[in-house]
Amino acid sequence: TQLLEQSPQFLSIQEGENLTVYCNSSSVFSSLQWYRQEPGEGPVLLVTVVTGGEVKKLKRLTFQFGDARKDSSLHITAAQPGDTGLYLCAGVAGNQFYFGTGTSLTVIP
Amino acid sequence: SQTIHQWPATLVQPVGSPLSLECTVEGTSNPNLYWYRQAAGRGLQLLFYSVGIGQISSEVPQNLSASRPQDRQFILSSKKLLLSDSGFYLCAWDPGQGFEQYFGPGTRLTVT
């Protein structure tokens, strides 16, 4: 059972544009992580959010955890080609990890 | 600091041949360990996880198996590979608190 649905599945944008990726579930999570994965490499942890409504910023990336801790979003401002990759969310419930379906982002120079 | 290693990085094997992928973690003790498989550009499929030596839980019935002979070593095996076993295999660990996972560099397996 896939608990976490990400949208969009694929996204291709021009350099300098803004974008938002969504991670949605009907389940409640104690924490949620976002990872970025480049082709041929393992996912790299970007951020962990644990409190409902929490907002964290990492340079041009803004992460938000939903008030009910069922969903999250990742917003990228002024995207750059180096942001290209697969973005994965992962929720933790009962010490079990549930990974999202992934969003493949391509930023065109 | 903790590091996680996987080898080999790439592997091409014929159908019906055996498989052994190895994962080791350094700089921590008693980690939870995971094996995932990933189709191109998609999410992760959990195959096995282990909370301690000799303790293996299987998520997906298949012709793969896993073993944990030492605290920081996790091995993925098969006696006879199928074409459908091709994919990108990732090992991951967490400190046992169900908080964050850290991934190895992965192994690209092609079964021909």
Side-chain angles (χ1 to χ4, degrees):
Chain A
T1 303
Q2 186 58 260
L3 292 181
L4 283 164
E5 293 289 337
Q6 288 185 236
S7 61
Q9 183 178 349
F10 299 98
L11 189 56
S12 182
I13 62 171
Q14 295 290 329
E15 181 176 0
E17 293 183 353
N18 301 332
L19 68 113
T20 301
V21 176
Y22 299 93
C23 173
N24 295 306
S25 175
S26 58
S27 302
V28 176
F29 297 101
S30 57
S31 68
L32 193 138
Q33 293 86 45
W34 284 94
Y35 296 81
R36 179 169 64 212
Q37 183 181 20
E38 299 190 13
E41 299 181 7
V44 175
L45 180 67
L46 296 175
V47 76
T48 298
V49 286
V50 297
T51 305
E54 182 177 4
V55 176
K56 281 191 174 180
K57 292 189 175 182
L58 184 65
K59 297 183 180 179
R60 294 176 293 100
L61 278 60
T62 302
F63 306 85
Q64 184 164 8
F65 202 11
D67 291 341
R69 291 186 286 126
K70 293 182 178 182
D71 52 79
S72 180
S73 64
L74 158 60
H75 182 78
I76 301 179
T77 304
Q80 298 178 0
D83 296 326
T84 293
L86 180 69
Y87 288 81
L88 293 163
C89 64
V92 179
N95 282 349
Q96 297 243 359
F97 286 83
Y98 301 92
F99 277 87
T101 48
T103 295
S104 180
L105 171 65
T106 301
V107 182
I108 303 167
Chain B
S1 63
Q2 299 86 12
T3 55
I4 179 170
H5 305 279
Q6 284 185 247
W7 64 90
T10 60
L11 191 60
V12 180
Q13 292 283 95
V15 168
S17 64
L19 172 74
S20 181
L21 303 181
E22 190 165 342
C23 171
T24 59
V25 181
E26 297 178 353
T28 188
S29 60
N30 198 30
N32 290 338
L33 296 171
Y34 305 81
W35 279 112
Y36 292 91
R37 181 167 58 201
Q38 184 179 33
R42 302 305 305 274
L44 305 177
Q45 178 189 30
L46 178 63
L47 301 176
F48 302 94
Y49 69 93
S50 172
V51 299
I53 296 174
Q55 301 178 62
I56 308 294
S57 296
S58 173
E59 291 294 311
V60 182
Q62 56 204 332
N63 70 318
L64 299 173
S65 62
S67 62
R68 185 170 177 173
Q70 301 180 42
D71 181 45
R72 291 170 290 175
Q73 183 185 30
F74 206 21
I75 298 172
L76 183 68
S77 303
S78 175
K79 293 182 179 179
K80 291 185 177 181
L81 283 168
L82 306 172
L83 286 174
S84 58
D85 292 324
S86 293
F88 192 52
Y89 288 83
L90 288 159
C91 181
W93 74 276
D94 75 60
Q97 300 167 0
F99 201 57
E100 296 171 343
Q101 287 194 3
Y102 301 92
F103 286 85
T107 295
R108 172 72 58 194
L109 171 65
T110 303
V111 182
T112 61

